[in-house]
Amino acid sequence: MNEAITKRNNLLGNKVVEALNKRHFEAYYVENKEQALAKALELIPADHSVGWGGSVSVDEIGLKEALKEKGNLLIDRSKAKDREEALDIMRQALLCGTFLMSSNAITEQGELFNIDGNANRVAALCFGPKNVLIIAGINKVVRDLDAAYSRVRNYAAPVNAQRFDLPTPCCKTGKCGDCLMEESICAEFVTTRISKPAGRIKVILVGENLGF
């Protein structure tokens, strides 16, 4: 990575981590995917069952594969035979030891902003699992909550709709249509301003772009 970009990311990343820690998150800044994987494995107890929401960021650092080798019990909805079984597994993940996810946006003030379709991801973020571990690239950092909303509605949601090939307007046009379709992935809007209890939500902010 360009030296100037690395310096900028390090400065911004450490400031955001400081803001997150002031809000009682347990936050860490690392420069790259390899360091993110090592820190994540350090933060997940060996006796914890592990579930997750859909997260490209988690996949990009190779965390699921590493947890298989580590021997954690994985609650994996991709093993389901059909939609109903997948929903049952998603419900089981709400009581896991550590839940893995990313955040759609993180403000410079240390707030998390997430939009969800099925709500299993934001439900776990709010309550249920003993710990939540967020893996987020520096590309998720935005100035404030207005910028967070704009980023997710106008970029992250349309990209994810494309990923799942949904019949929503954003999938067809590349921009938010503020639709009310049942297939919309913009059903729940959740802002997390503090971690309660303190340290339950852990954030690894990575000085590289991850996910959407």
Side-chain angles (χ1 to χ4, degrees):
M1 185 181 293
N2 179 279
E3 184 178 347
I5 294 174
T6 298
K7 183 176 180 180
R8 175 264 183 190
N9 289 352
N10 290 349
L11 289 169
L12 176 61
N14 280 296
K15 287 185 66 176
V16 174
V17 162
E18 183 180 352
L20 286 161
N21 283 319
K22 285 180 179 178
R23 292 177 178 271
H24 315 298
F25 298 95
E26 184 180 325
Y28 303 87
Y29 177 74
V30 298
E31 290 191 356
N32 54 53
K33 298 180 183 71
E34 293 75 21
Q35 293 174 3
L37 176 60
K39 176 57 71 174
L41 292 173
E42 177 186 322
L43 293 175
I44 300 171
D47 62 347
H48 269 206
S49 58
V50 181
W52 51 78
S55 172
V56 172
S57 300
V58 170
D59 291 337
E60 286 180 340
I61 70 167
L63 183 51
K64 294 177 188 176
E65 292 76 11
L67 287 170
K68 290 177 185 176
E69 295 180 9
K70 186 178 175 182
N72 288 82
L73 173 63
L74 304 184
I75 304 172
D76 187 356
R77 65 182 178 184
S78 71
K79 305 295 185 183
K81 297 187 294 292
D82 53 36
R83 172 67 174 170
E84 286 306 311
E85 184 176 358
L87 288 171
D88 285 340
I89 294 173
M90 288 158 69
R91 293 185 185 99
Q92 293 170 31
L94 296 177
L95 295 175
C96 68
T98 297
F99 189 86
L100 308 176
M101 58 179 287
S102 188
S103 184
N104 294 134
I106 301 175
T107 72
E108 293 179 9
Q109 294 76 37
E111 302 145 308
L112 309 180
F113 183 73
N114 286 280
I115 290 179
D116 206 349
N118 294 318
N120 63 300
R121 189 171 58 95
V122 295
L125 174 64
C126 293
F127 185 80
K130 293 178 182 177
N131 289 307
V132 175
L133 178 57
I134 292 173
I135 311 294
I138 197 74
N139 53 309
K140 302 290 188 70
V141 174
V142 296
R143 185 174 181 84
D144 52 28
L145 286 173
D146 287 340
Y149 180 91
S150 178
R151 179 189 190 279
V152 182
R153 293 304 305 269
N154 296 306
Y155 177 71
V159 171
N160 275 300
Q162 291 284 350
R163 184 161 66 105
F164 296 118
D165 194 25
L166 299 177
T168 54
C170 65
C171 191
K172 298 173 183 177
T173 66
K175 62 180 183 179
C176 179
D178 197 26
C179 76
L180 300 177
M181 297 182 68
E182 185 178 358
E183 296 86 354
S184 172
I185 57 174
C186 298
E188 309 290 338
F189 294 57
V190 174
T191 301
T192 308
R193 62 181 295 272
I194 63 171
S195 174
K196 189 174 181 179
R200 174 180 173 266
I201 302 173
K202 299 168 174 59
V203 180
I204 300 175
L205 182 59
V206 187
E208 296 180 352
N209 290 353
L210 294 174
F212 312 126

